[in-house]
Amino acid sequence: MVTTTPVDDPGDLFARLPETAPYAWVRHGEGLVAWGEAVRLAVPPGPRRFDWARDRLSDLFGEAHVDDDVTAPGSGPVAFGSFTFDPEARGSVLVVPQTILARRDGRAWLTTVGERRLDTVPPLRAPGRIRYGDGSLTAPEWEHAVARAVRRIRSGRLEKTVLARDLTAVAERPIDVRLLLTRLAGRYPECYTFSCAGLVGATPELLVRRTGETIESLVLAGTTPRGADQADDVARGTALFTSEKNRHEHACAVASVREALDPLCAELKIPEEPELLVLSNVQHLASPVSGRLSDGASVLDVVAAMHPTAAVGGTPTEAALDVIRELEGMDRAGYAGPVGWIDARGDGEWGIALRCAQIEGSTARLFAGCGIMGDSDPASELAEAEAKLRVMRYALEG
């Protein structure tokens, strides 16, 4: 039995979460938080994993007895999901939580699967001192990988690839995911703060939002750190917007999204020029995309068509993925993979898992990545990766 009922405004959604394994998808204080596990599905790896997920959830939701007094995107039964970047890697998961609390467009509701239960909400707990260590590659080793990637690009094998870095963090005490979510949402309200199966972060990149036949996406590619003051900030933004390297990187990302969405859409709108998206720590070139689906595809069908975008993989895709596998020296797990939620109507919101960490007990594995082009400078790319890693370092340290 799945029951959704309207409720009064719950205030801070994260403040309602119990400590154990919370789920979240929140931006500007609106979205969904959840806890408990009514159903957990391990998604088999392989090229048809999104089809498997869509069909399995369709059967699961179809068998449920649903009493939904709200009938809005995100009401009724909802599954949170995290998919690995590499389709052949294990670790993709879908979870239908036992309790979901949501707020959107001036409405709030509570969904329960099975019997409603009371969960205690203990105070947030700081992780104590954090010790950091190298991940799969040291900083000099990663710069060397970037230089090798640049040589591959200049040889004509590909236009762009994306190389990721990881960093390990060990805390004195078990890491309270709710504290990370609260800090991330407070510092980066314009991002999508998410939590699913231990993968926690705040991504600026909306892969797709489906509401009925309407879809939206936000393409981000091309990045510069914020300036030291307003004049420096404006200068950096202008340099980013006029940079041939960054504009080409962004054009590759937009082209990959257009290629993925064209077959699914009766209408598709992509601006001719990007805009500047200014976040707390970096500036991005951004292109908002909107469209109307032609065949009633679910949000997971759109995710399957779009992943991996050039923004997190490269161009052309297969050549870029070959370079990633050769040079990164690590399993990305859920980093740069799709993360989000889907309801029984096929509506949902999915982002690309960026600015994130995989949390397990008192250990965190932090991730960041950079788009590598033929004129990329390894030291500059390392500085960009460090700027992106500061998001999760702040979440851990406060």
Side-chain angles (χ1 to χ4, degrees), residues 2-312:
V2 181
T3 304
T4 297
T5 55
V7 295
D8 294 334
D9 190 324
D12 179 6
L13 291 171
F14 297 126
R16 306 298 294 272
L17 284 170
E19 188 171 9
T20 306
Y23 294 83
W25 180 267
V26 175
R27 180 175 183 264
H28 287 308
E30 293 201 339
L32 296 78
V33 297
W35 56 95
E37 293 185 0
V39 178
R40 185 183 183 97
L41 301 173
V43 180
R48 296 187 60 82
R49 57 187 179 151
F50 294 108
D51 295 337
W52 184 93
R54 178 202 61 213
D55 294 344
R56 185 69 185 89
L57 286 176
S58 178
D59 291 342
L60 187 66
F61 289 156
E63 295 167 358
H65 179 73
V66 180
D67 183 7
D68 183 357
D69 292 336
V70 176
T71 61
S75 70
V78 169
F80 284 75
S82 168
F83 288 83
T84 57
F85 174 81
D86 190 331
E88 299 303 326
R90 296 187 178 278
S92 300
V93 64
L94 292 165
V95 174
V96 179
Q98 289 178 319
T99 307
I100 303 163
L101 180 63
R103 178 174 55 213
R104 288 179 61 126
D105 302 324
R107 307 170 71 189
W109 60 89
L110 182 73
T111 298
T112 56
V113 180
E115 292 184 10
R116 183 170 178 176
R117 44 182 262 188
L118 296 176
D119 295 271
T120 58
V121 181
L124 299 180
R125 178 172 32 82
R129 191 169 68 90
I130 308 292
R131 292 183 292 107
Y132 292 97
D134 287 323
S136 303
L137 298 177
T138 64
E141 288 171 339
W142 193 79
E143 287 184 292
H144 181 61
V146 171
R148 291 174 65 190
V150 168
R151 290 196 291 271
R152 301 285 198 285
I153 293 167
R154 290 177 178 174
S155 73
R157 286 180 54 190
L158 69 165
E159 288 187 73
K160 171 193 173 182
T161 191
V162 178
L163 292 183
R165 274 199 81 202
D166 63 339
L167 190 70
T168 60
V170 179
E172 284 186 272
R173 295 182 286 276
I175 297 168
D176 187 342
V177 168
R178 301 170 306 152
L179 179 62
L180 307 188
L181 293 171
T182 300
R183 287 173 171 171
L184 290 170
R187 176 68 68 91
Y188 307 101
E190 67 281 355
C191 292
Y192 297 87
T193 302
F194 63 87
S195 174
C196 181
L199 187 67
V200 181
T203 180
E205 190 144 359
L206 177 68
L207 184 62
V208 61
R209 174 188 296 117
R210 177 194 185 269
T211 308
E213 293 182 345
T214 301
I215 60 168
E216 300 166 78
S217 182
L218 181 64
V219 182
L220 301 182
T223 306
T224 190
R226 293 294 303 271
D229 53 38
Q230 185 175 0
D232 184 31
D233 210 35
V234 171
R236 286 173 179 267
T238 301
L240 174 63
F241 197 80
T242 57
S243 162
E244 183 178 349
K245 179 258 185 188
N246 284 288
R247 289 294 290 263
H248 182 58
E249 179 184 347
H250 190 81
C252 289
V254 169
S256 77
V257 169
R258 186 190 303 276
E259 182 180 358
L261 292 181
D262 261 337
L264 294 174
C265 290
E267 298 175 7
L268 187 61
K269 296 179 181 178
I270 301 178
E272 293 184 5
E273 289 248 316
E275 58 191 46
L276 274 179
L277 176 65
V278 180
L279 304 179
S280 300
N281 59 327
V282 294
Q283 302 182 61
H284 293 293
L285 293 178
S287 290
V289 175
S290 61
R292 183 170 60 84
L293 293 172
S294 55
D295 62 353
S298 88
V299 71
L300 282 179
D301 293 313
V302 184
V303 170
M306 295 182 71
H307 178 74
T309 67
V312 293

